Amino acid sequence: MATPLLGQDRLDHAGLERLIEHILAGGVHGLFILGSTGEAPSLSCRLRCELIERTCEQVSGRVPVLVGITDASFGDAVAMAEHAADSGAAAVVHAGPYYFPIAQAELAATTANLAAALPLPLFLYNMPSHTKVNFDPDTVRRLLEVPNIVGVKDSSGQLVYFKKLLHVAAARPDFAVLIGPEELLAEAIFMGAHGGVTGGANLDPALYVSLYEAARAGELARARELSAGVLRISTTIYAAGKYWSGYLQGIKAALAAMGICEDILAEPFQPFGPAEKALIEKYVRELGWLQGVPLRA
Amino acid sequence: MATPLLGQDRLDHAGLERLIEHILAGGVHGLFILGSTGEAPSLSCRLRCELIERTCEQVSGRVPVLVGITDASFGDAVAMAEHAADSGAAAVVHAGPYYFPIAQAELAATTANLAAALPLPLFLYNMPSHTKVNFDPDTVRRLLEVPNIVGVKDSSGQLVYFKKLLHVAAARPDFAVLIGPEELLAEAIFMGAHGGVTGGANLDPALYVSLYEAARAGELARARELSAGVLRISTTIYAAGKYWSGYLQGIKAALAAMGICEDILAEPFQPFGPAEKALIEKYVRELGWLQGVPLRA
Amino acid sequence: MATPLLGQDRLDHAGLERLIEHILAGGVHGLFILGSTGEAPSLSCRLRCELIERTCEQVSGRVPVLVGITDASFGDAVAMAEHAADSGAAAVVHAGPYYFPIAQAELAATTANLAAALPLPLFLYNMPSHTKVNFDPDTVRRLLEVPNIVGVKDSSGQLVYFKKLLHVAAARPDFAVLIGPEELLAEAIFMGAHGGVTGGANLDPALYVSLYEAARAGELARARELSAGVLRISTTIYAAGKYWSGYLQGIKAALAAMGICEDILAEPFQPFGPAEKALIEKYVRELGWLQGVPLRA
Amino acid sequence: MATPLLGQDRLDHAGLERLIEHILAGGVHGLFILGSTGEAPSLSCRLRCELIERTCEQVSGRVPVLVGITDASFGDAVAMAEHAADSGAAAVVHAGPYYFPIAQAELAATTANLAAALPLPLFLYNMPSHTKVNFDPDTVRRLLEVPNIVGVKDSSGQLVYFKKLLHVAAARPDFAVLIGPEELLAEAIFMGAHGGVTGGANLDPALYVSLYEAARAGELARARELSAGVLRISTTIYAAGKYWSGYLQGIKAALAAMGICEDILAEPFQPFGPAEKALIEKYVRELGWLQGVPLRA
């Protein structure tokens, strides 16, 4: 979930309410806040805590809320998890420490220590392009022995790696393997993945839910058709900017065009300028999202 | 400066006092806390604030205190800077945002925004191996226009880049260019650098001060001799571990061997095991540090 | 196809004959020689020419032969292509220049120049882990305008990128998009890929042919089952070594265990030692390959 | 030395003669052909052989000629070395295999094998930005035991690494440690390096010779002044292009402006367009090179 903002350190309560209701209406099976799409590392600890509380309150048990606690500081991550537990979240998600270069043995040890200190079940979040480190399949194998580590989300985009994760995780049937890049949701499900975490579900949640269901049902033709819709978002909304941040700018600009929340981004990023905004508005119109996003059967 | 700890979220007050006095006795011209050697990104916001206060109190104006405020969150970095200003620090240091991939134009913009929000002068800290981004010479050129950005510390180890920084910074005579890797202190000074930030000064501060002075005086032979001493530390104390963290483990183990503080590291890292500890003790003995580090003329 | 050797600059003619017949018996639709699995960049120009001749002779038109001409030198690549044309090859394959860092505009220009100088149709080969450069989707889009560039093989393992290639290539229906990592063959076919280039087909060609056919036919369950067989090879034969080269060592050791050719590798690599060899023999036995590889229906 | 060309596979004999005489007139102590500045990996084997012969003939023993034999193929590298020996070259230079990812143990083994197969002494050439692999100090330490490995040229730009090379190489007094980036020539000499390999010596050889001599003599002020001249070349001639290739384009365009040879580049690169050419001509004029490069005392 994106994080609606009114200013650098000001949460947009009304926007948050609209965004949550928009996403839940699409039929999602859970809500993951404070991930990369949620700009979590850019937000102050205070604002992150406020978001956790408000989101849990608004969702009010309709779906499980997963809370990203990724933080370079172990202590601050644990504190955030405690806040999540108090607020009623179902689980927490951590991408590993991301400042210091870290070896696999060290990653395994500190992640086990983290899990032991947490009041909630932990999902690993593999995001090597941002953290500079992969949770190697052998590291995940070792971490399977920690009972309250309950799954992994992989955003590497490397499906050979992902397949090896599935292979390793087969040893613990309760361990969930989720795919990050939404463009690969169908393929991941075909491989045996348990689900996906899809930033595009901020915009068109029903599309991703339908794709998930088609893939689960083995409906290849329908999955291919819905995947084309996902790629269309990916090659328009996410591709309007020049830099990596174009992904975040695109989502926020589209949410603004749909009337859900402002397009304000947390530093170090800025909203799109007028040209890109106009482009996003055009895309939103073409995608048929202006009059509300269609719910797919 | 390293950060003496008694536990994961417990600052070692007595160790901190000993360490500060040890370093100041070596004749250093300033104290930089909460950098990479200080494990800053691993520490909780609370502990970082405590360290700032205690250090400023202990130093009590004898040398300027520079405070690392590097944080993925803009808001939390500004808050830390305010705390530093209230505590009497002289300046702050920021390595740039380090989670999201960021383009040079974005880095320049957010750094200018940061500087505008800070109550203290700002040093840039170029640390691409950890932050995934370089402050390109052209970015530094643009940031020279921001008056309260007063210098840069470069830890890239790329001296061609460093030379270009010096070239660019010549346009603003009050702008300080400092070298990160202590093994290159003499060469950097010969090139025209204004100083260095040297982790080894936790252990043998007078060595680095003497080297700085020899290099400033153009005493090539003496600089070469003292540089050999720096390389000796680098190829023993910093090289006892297998991973990048061996640098941090080595410094803390040496400080422990010298009776200054415990060898406790903040997560995600662990102290050396017995074999490496014994090796460090041997090195410390051979370097003549057991009976107190010699002060060089 | 792997390259059977009797020594550093000595082709194994009998082994080559056995290997070609073994692979063709598995029902493959084409033969790609002098790729990474063929250790092409390690072989002398002379030996590469010899291999091209012998292979074309032995195959004798039963399937098309594709010849890797990847070379840091443009001139030597063209010369190799001329030799391939004279020998009766169907097409050539080039991964782009791989010594100098190269920009996308430069890659597009030099590849168009190369295609213009070639006597045979050209397949692009995306292999960024080895060449340090990706054929970006926009570069491929530009190269679609060159008629004798007829396809691309992508070994990046990045399926989002691969999906974008498919999207771009849809504009030219005669342009083939092939997947490199064999572990992703089924998923790539489901996405719309035209085929795969699979190093494991040196060992068990029928497995990959069957998987291709199941995926083409949309038989999800059978594709999943056969994919498990592919992953079994990937996590045994390819995983016995410590380094990247373990992939090449594993294939050659397995071919030796099957009696097809020696396990000699071209420098810079060496064959497996006794321990890894024994492991590979065990795997080969367990995979049922000792008595000849089974042909799947 | 740059490689003067009349066309893609055509050596410029007259230009080569002029260039060699221009460089030797500057007082250089040796000539290194077929390095990165010489575009060696882009040249056909045939043209490389022709260049070796012609150069050795023209130099005719006035200074030692070092020949780059870097090639992804071990066999072709040895053949090139034999040609160099027959032509009268003094030594060969190899950067290691550069297509396959290679581990340090493998790099050490294959380099020792290469040295054993060579008819001439071998210099290692550390160029990790192009080859994807570093000769780690420990690997160099092992290779010191091979008597006909006689030195190393380091182009990493990482002076901490370079300092460790010097430290390791001190064990063999006949082993030469040379610096690659010309901007660091003085600093490297101060550290104890034996010399430098400087692409800019194609343009203004006497500048680099003078700098070398000033640094050897410990003349800090003069070294700093001459270093400023080097940086001036680096920030003008080498900085006129957008990509890495701008370095090669700049050197060739400057040689053309000076009337020494054409600005033709081997594929995959193209000469500068009119705008950059005009800029280079302006720089050449400002550097005072139009009327012949001044010889420094």
Side-chain angles (χ1 to χ4, degrees):
Chain A
M1 191 179 78
T3 303
L5 296 174
L6 287 177
Q8 271 311 306
D9 198 29
R10 235 179 111 206
L11 187 63
D12 173 0
H13 296 169
L16 176 65
E17 191 184 316
R18 281 191 296 271
L19 180 56
I20 290 173
E21 292 311 318
H22 170 65
I23 294 172
L24 293 196
V28 302
H29 309 97
L31 199 59
F32 172 33
I33 62 171
L34 292 172
S36 303
T37 303
E39 301 170 78
S42 306
L43 306 175
S44 71
C45 288
R46 191 205 60 69
L47 193 144
R48 282 186 264 169
C49 285
E50 188 185 351
L51 178 73
I52 294 168
E53 284 167 47
R54 288 274 173 168
T55 302
C56 289
E57 223 173 275
Q58 179 73 25
V59 170
S60 191
R62 287 177 286 171
V63 296
V65 175
L66 281 73
V67 174
I69 58 165
T70 306
D71 199 294
S73 161
F74 185 96
D76 284 349
V78 172
M80 197 75 62
E82 278 159 5
H83 201 80
D86 293 347
S87 303
V92 293
V93 186
H94 200 289
Y98 59 94
Y99 181 75
F100 292 114
I102 186 170
Q104 289 297 314
E106 295 172 324
L107 182 61
T110 198
T111 305
N113 291 348
L114 179 71
L118 291 177
L120 285 174
L122 171 65
F123 280 81
L124 310 177
Y125 177 11
N126 192 54
M127 187 60 165
S129 61
H130 290 48
T131 63
K132 307 187 298 285
V133 68
N134 228 38
F135 284 91
D136 281 358
D138 277 341
T139 301
V140 173
R141 192 193 316 271
R142 289 174 57 181
L143 292 171
L144 288 180
E145 287 165 30
V146 182
N148 77 321
I149 301 182
V150 297
V152 60
K153 171 194 171 187
D154 172 37
S155 290
S156 71
Q158 281 285 357
L159 281 201
V160 178
Y161 165 83
F162 189 74
K163 227 167 192 176
K164 288 181 183 168
L165 279 189
L166 283 166
H167 184 66
V168 159
R172 230 188 82 188
D174 66 317
F175 192 89
V177 182
L178 309 176
I179 188 77
E182 60 201 61
E183 296 88 349
L184 306 179
L185 179 57
E187 290 75 18
I189 301 287
F190 291 151
M191 283 179 176
H194 304 87
V197 183
T198 60
N202 282 284
L203 306 172
D204 187 353
L207 171 63
Y208 298 86
V209 172
S210 303
L211 176 52
Y212 165 81
E213 283 167 358
R216 291 279 287 191
E219 296 168 3
L220 258 177
R222 180 148 170 76
R224 199 172 292 149
E225 185 195 344
L226 292 164
S227 283
V230 170
L231 200 66
R232 203 174 163 204
I233 296 174
S234 178
T235 53
T236 54
I237 306 286
Y238 303 165
K242 273 190 295 188
Y243 310 127
W244 181 88
S245 54
Y247 166 74
L248 295 175
Q249 291 168 315
I251 286 188
K252 283 254 167 114
L255 288 173
M258 295 162 73
I260 291 176
C261 64
E262 300 294 319
D263 67 349
I264 296 168
L265 291 172
E267 293 274 359
F269 298 128
Q270 311 299 329
F272 269 147
E276 291 92 350
K277 260 186 218 184
L279 195 59
I280 294 288
E281 276 160 23
K282 185 177 83 86
Y283 291 147
V284 164
R285 220 176 306 119
E286 288 171 2
L287 287 157
W289 292 347
L290 271 188
Q291 287 73 38
V293 168
L295 295 191
R296 282 166 190 76
Chain B
M1 190 179 80
T3 303
L5 297 174
L6 289 176
Q8 271 313 304
D9 199 27
R10 236 180 111 205
L11 186 63
D12 174 2
H13 296 169
L16 177 63
E17 191 183 316
R18 279 190 299 270
L19 180 57
I20 290 173
E21 293 308 319
H22 169 66
I23 294 173
L24 293 196
V28 301
H29 309 96
L31 198 59
F32 173 31
I33 62 171
L34 291 171
S36 303
T37 303
E39 301 171 79
S42 306
L43 305 174
S44 71
C45 288
R46 192 206 58 69
L47 193 144
R48 280 186 266 170
C49 286
E50 188 185 351
L51 177 73
I52 294 168
E53 284 167 46
R54 288 275 173 168
T55 301
C56 289
E57 224 173 274
Q58 179 73 26
V59 170
S60 191
R62 286 177 287 172
V63 296
V65 175
L66 281 73
V67 174
I69 58 166
T70 305
D71 200 293
S73 161
F74 185 97
D76 284 348
V78 172
M80 197 75 62
E82 280 158 5
H83 201 81
D86 294 346
S87 303
V92 293
V93 186
H94 199 290
Y98 58 95
Y99 181 75
F100 292 113
I102 186 170
Q104 289 297 314
E106 295 172 325
L107 182 61
T110 199
T111 305
N113 291 349
L114 179 71
L118 291 177
L120 286 175
L122 171 65
F123 279 82
L124 310 177
Y125 177 11
N126 192 54
M127 186 61 166
S129 60
H130 289 48
T131 63
K132 307 187 297 285
V133 67
N134 229 38
F135 283 91
D136 280 358
D138 276 342
T139 301
V140 172
R141 192 193 317 270
R142 289 174 58 182
L143 291 171
L144 289 180
E145 287 165 29
V146 182
N148 77 320
I149 301 184
V150 297
V152 60
K153 171 195 172 186
D154 173 36
S155 291
S156 71
Q158 280 286 357
L159 281 201
V160 178
Y161 165 83
F162 188 75
K163 226 166 192 177
K164 288 180 183 168
L165 280 189
L166 283 167
H167 184 66
V168 160
R172 228 187 82 189
D174 67 316
F175 193 87
V177 182
L178 310 176
I179 188 78
E182 60 199 63
E183 297 87 349
L184 306 179
L185 179 57
E187 290 76 19
I189 300 287
F190 292 150
M191 282 180 178
H194 304 88
V197 183
T198 59
N202 283 284
L203 307 173
D204 187 353
L207 170 64
Y208 298 85
V209 172
S210 303
L211 176 53
Y212 165 81
E213 285 167 356
R216 292 279 285 191
E219 298 168 2
L220 258 177
R222 179 145 171 77
R224 199 171 293 147
E225 184 194 345
L226 292 164
S227 282
V230 170
L231 200 67
R232 203 174 163 203
I233 296 174
S234 178
T235 53
T236 55
I237 305 287
Y238 302 167
K242 273 190 295 188
Y243 310 127
W244 182 88
S245 55
Y247 165 74
L248 294 176
Q249 292 169 315
I251 285 187
K252 283 254 168 115
L255 288 173
M258 294 162 74
I260 291 176
C261 66
E262 299 294 317
D263 67 348
I264 295 169
L265 292 172
E267 293 275 359
F269 298 128
Q270 312 299 329
F272 269 147
E276 291 91 350
K277 260 186 217 184
L279 196 58
I280 294 288
E281 277 161 22
K282 184 176 84 84
Y283 292 146
V284 165
R285 220 176 306 118
E286 288 170 3
L287 287 157
W289 291 347
L290 271 188
Q291 286 73 37
V293 169
L295 295 191
R296 282 167 189 76
Chain C
M1 190 180 80
T3 301
L5 297 174
L6 288 176
Q8 270 313 304
D9 199 28
R10 236 177 111 206
L11 187 63
D12 174 0
H13 296 169
L16 177 63
E17 193 184 316
R18 280 190 298 271
L19 180 57
I20 290 173
E21 293 309 318
H22 170 65
I23 294 171
L24 293 196
V28 300
H29 308 96
L31 198 59
F32 173 31
I33 62 170
L34 292 171
S36 303
T37 304
E39 300 170 79
S42 306
L43 304 175
S44 71
C45 288
R46 192 205 59 71
L47 193 144
R48 280 185 266 170
C49 285
E50 189 186 350
L51 178 73
I52 295 168
E53 284 166 46
R54 289 273 173 169
T55 302
C56 288
E57 224 173 272
Q58 179 72 26
V59 169
S60 191
R62 286 178 286 172
V63 297
V65 175
L66 282 72
V67 174
I69 58 165
T70 306
D71 200 292
S73 161
F74 185 95
D76 284 349
V78 172
M80 198 75 63
E82 280 160 5
H83 201 80
D86 293 346
S87 303
V92 293
V93 186
H94 200 291
Y98 58 96
Y99 180 75
F100 292 113
I102 187 170
Q104 289 298 312
E106 296 173 324
L107 181 62
T110 199
T111 304
N113 291 349
L114 178 71
L118 290 178
L120 285 175
L122 172 65
F123 279 82
L124 311 176
Y125 177 11
N126 192 53
M127 187 62 167
S129 60
H130 290 48
T131 63
K132 306 188 297 284
V133 67
N134 229 35
F135 283 92
D136 281 358
D138 276 342
T139 300
V140 172
R141 191 194 315 270
R142 288 174 58 180
L143 292 171
L144 288 180
E145 288 165 29
V146 182
N148 76 321
I149 301 183
V150 297
V152 60
K153 171 195 171 185
D154 172 36
S155 290
S156 71
Q158 281 285 358
L159 281 201
V160 178
Y161 165 82
F162 189 76
K163 226 166 193 177
K164 288 180 182 168
L165 280 189
L166 284 167
H167 184 65
V168 160
R172 229 187 82 188
D174 66 316
F175 193 88
V177 182
L178 309 176
I179 188 79
E182 60 200 62
E183 297 87 349
L184 306 178
L185 179 56
E187 289 75 18
I189 300 287
F190 290 150
M191 282 179 178
H194 304 88
V197 182
T198 60
N202 282 284
L203 306 172
D204 187 353
L207 171 63
Y208 298 86
V209 173
S210 303
L211 176 52
Y212 165 81
E213 285 167 357
R216 291 279 285 191
E219 296 168 4
L220 258 178
R222 179 145 170 78
R224 199 172 292 149
E225 184 195 344
L226 292 163
S227 282
V230 170
L231 200 66
R232 202 173 163 204
I233 295 173
S234 178
T235 54
T236 55
I237 306 286
Y238 303 165
K242 272 189 295 188
Y243 309 128
W244 181 89
S245 55
Y247 165 74
L248 295 175
Q249 292 169 315
I251 285 188
K252 282 254 168 113
L255 288 173
M258 295 162 74
I260 291 176
C261 66
E262 300 293 319
D263 67 347
I264 296 169
L265 291 172
E267 293 274 359
F269 298 128
Q270 312 298 330
F272 269 148
E276 291 92 349
K277 261 187 218 185
L279 195 59
I280 294 289
E281 277 161 23
K282 184 176 85 84
Y283 291 147
V284 164
R285 219 176 305 119
E286 288 170 4
L287 287 157
W289 291 347
L290 271 188
Q291 286 74 39
V293 168
L295 295 190
R296 281 166 189 78
Chain D
M1 190 179 79
T3 302
L5 296 174
L6 288 177
Q8 271 312 307
D9 200 28
R10 238 180 110 204
L11 188 62
D12 174 0
H13 296 170
L16 177 63
E17 193 184 314
R18 280 190 297 271
L19 180 57
I20 291 173
E21 293 310 317
H22 169 65
I23 295 172
L24 293 196
V28 302
H29 309 96
L31 198 59
F32 172 31
I33 61 170
L34 292 171
S36 303
T37 303
E39 300 171 79
S42 306
L43 305 175
S44 71
C45 289
R46 192 204 59 70
L47 194 145
R48 280 186 265 170
C49 286
E50 189 186 350
L51 178 73
I52 295 169
E53 283 167 47
R54 289 273 172 168
T55 302
C56 289
E57 224 172 272
Q58 180 72 26
V59 170
S60 191
R62 286 178 285 172
V63 296
V65 175
L66 281 74
V67 174
I69 57 165
T70 305
D71 200 293
S73 161
F74 184 96
D76 284 349
V78 172
M80 198 75 64
E82 279 159 5
H83 201 79
D86 292 347
S87 303
V92 294
V93 186
H94 200 291
Y98 57 95
Y99 181 75
F100 292 114
I102 186 170
Q104 289 297 314
E106 296 173 323
L107 181 62
T110 198
T111 304
N113 290 348
L114 179 71
L118 290 178
L120 286 175
L122 171 65
F123 279 81
L124 310 177
Y125 177 11
N126 192 54
M127 187 62 167
S129 61
H130 290 48
T131 64
K132 306 187 298 283
V133 67
N134 228 36
F135 283 92
D136 281 358
D138 277 341
T139 300
V140 173
R141 193 193 314 273
R142 287 175 59 181
L143 291 171
L144 288 180
E145 288 166 28
V146 182
N148 78 321
I149 302 183
V150 297
V152 60
K153 171 195 172 186
D154 172 37
S155 290
S156 70
Q158 281 285 358
L159 282 201
V160 178
Y161 165 82
F162 188 75
K163 228 168 192 177
K164 288 181 183 168
L165 279 189
L166 283 167
H167 184 66
V168 160
R172 229 188 81 189
D174 66 317
F175 193 88
V177 182
L178 309 176
I179 188 78
E182 60 201 62
E183 296 88 350
L184 306 178
L185 179 58
E187 289 75 19
I189 300 288
F190 291 151
M191 282 179 176
H194 304 88
V197 182
T198 60
N202 282 285
L203 306 173
D204 188 354
L207 170 63
Y208 299 86
V209 172
S210 303
L211 176 53
Y212 166 81
E213 284 167 357
R216 291 279 285 191
E219 296 168 3
L220 259 177
R222 179 146 171 78
R224 199 172 291 148
E225 184 194 345
L226 293 164
S227 282
V230 171
L231 200 67
R232 203 174 163 204
I233 296 174
S234 179
T235 53
T236 55
I237 306 286
Y238 303 166
K242 271 190 296 189
Y243 310 127
W244 181 88
S245 55
Y247 165 74
L248 295 175
Q249 292 168 314
I251 285 187
K252 283 254 169 113
L255 288 173
M258 295 162 74
I260 291 176
C261 65
E262 300 294 318
D263 67 347
I264 296 168
L265 292 172
E267 292 274 359
F269 298 128
Q270 312 299 329
F272 269 147
E276 291 92 349
K277 261 186 218 186
L279 196 58
I280 295 287
E281 277 160 23
K282 185 176 83 86
Y283 292 147
V284 164
R285 220 176 306 120
E286 289 169 4
L287 287 158
W289 291 347
L290 271 189
Q291 286 74 38
V293 168
L295 294 191
R296 282 166 189 77

